Amino acid sequence: MQGTVEGFSFGAVTPAASYLVACVGSALGLRCVIRSLSNRQSWKPGWLALGAATIGCGIWTMHFVAMAGFRIQGIPIDYDGRLTALSLVVAIVTAGLGVFAVGYRGATPVTLTAAGILTGLAVVATHYTGMAALKLNGSLGYDSPTVAASVLLAVTAATAALWSAASFRGFPAALGAGLLMGVALTGTHYTGMAALSVHLRGATDASYMTGMYGSSSSASILLPLLIGPVVFLILAGVVVMFDPQLVLGDGDWSRATPRRRRATAAVPERPAHPPRTASLFEPRDQRADRRTSSRGR
């Protein structure tokens, strides 16, 4: 028996919210990666780790925000806590491989392409690991060509976002790359959901009919895991906001520094001690001696 799948039970609310989370996490993470390229070696691992964790949290949070609108008619849904947590780890680790490759090998075409592939695979792996965490009275099936399309979309859009972030500096470029990365995340999710089919296993047990959020076990699993990554994204945003180079971009910040230097150089420096001048009330011979001694110095 085939189950009727509904992916937009709250209308446009969940797709819009998931896209917003994806854009925020991606923009912050990409800015951290670009920041690491112009930073001292001692700070590079910290910026790269922050970028990987931010992108991974954005991917994971986007998936489960979008899943809030997922329903199967007549079937309650729950989540396996271990696989749900594993999907977050997969997102951060897989995205981290691409992030650290760019940070340490530079923004070369080969590295950016490889990092884009890894980041796209992070999106795909997070989605299908998160789907494997579903607990329901049935089994999941996927249409292979549609799954392949979701993988291609994730890899292509993620690679384009990384190229855009590395090629153009400044806040507008970061915003554009984040919007493009948001398309990769949400597009992959809903393309993968279009490939989904559910085969139900006979009649549903009435004791299991508590709904996706009606059971305390579901709330105890999802709510803490959603709150944690969201709080982390907020803290990452605070770090970015208080770093001038991340806000202005490498090019803008480097151009602003010479302007400040020129403005400083245009102002003549005051001598530490004003030159001593001879007094009109001094005798003429003393004034002559003072001038002779100053020439000697």
Side-chain angles (χ1 to χ4, degrees), residues 33-215:
V33 175
I34 299 305
R35 181 67 168 88
S36 71
L37 296 177
S38 60
N39 210 319
R40 294 179 301 176
Q41 193 71 18
S42 58
W43 288 96
K44 186 183 292 288
W47 283 113
L48 292 175
L50 181 61
T54 304
I55 293 175
C57 286
I59 295 172
W60 188 92
T61 307
M62 176 280 305
H63 173 79
F64 283 99
V65 168
M67 287 300 291
F70 176 74
R71 297 286 187 276
I72 301 175
Q73 187 175 351
I75 293 294
I77 300 174
D78 204 345
Y79 288 92
D80 181 85
R82 293 181 179 179
L83 285 177
T84 301
L86 177 62
S87 63
L88 176 59
V89 176
V90 168
I92 295 175
V93 172
T94 311
L97 294 176
V99 164
F100 275 83
V102 173
Y104 281 99
R105 297 186 65 86
T108 63
V110 174
T111 305
L112 288 174
T113 302
I117 294 174
L118 288 171
T119 305
L121 292 178
V123 180
V124 173
T126 303
H127 174 79
Y128 290 104
T129 305
M131 294 302 295
L134 284 172
K135 295 172 63 177
L136 48 85
N137 190 23
S139 58
L140 305 180
Y142 294 96
D143 178 65
S144 298
T146 310
V147 171
S150 69
V151 176
L152 181 62
L153 174 61
V155 170
T156 303
T159 304
L162 282 171
W163 273 80
S164 176
S167 301
F168 305 98
R169 304 299 172 88
F171 180 77
L175 180 61
L179 295 175
L180 187 58
M181 193 71 168
V183 171
L185 271 61
T186 54
T188 301
H189 174 84
Y190 286 106
T191 304
M193 295 305 291
L196 176 68
S197 61
V198 180
H199 181 75
L200 304 180
R201 298 193 188 101
T204 304
D205 185 5
S207 64
Y208 192 62
M209 296 289 290
T210 55
M212 180 177 176
Y213 293 103
S215 64

Side-chain angles (χ1 to χ4, degrees), residues 223-251:
L223 289 181
L225 290 178
L226 278 173
I227 291 173
V230 169
V231 171
F232 179 82
L233 289 176
I234 294 173
L235 294 177
V238 172
V239 173
V240 171
M241 288 174 58
F242 281 92
D243 188 279
Q245 190 169 343
L246 279 172
V247 175
L248 296 176
D250 296 338

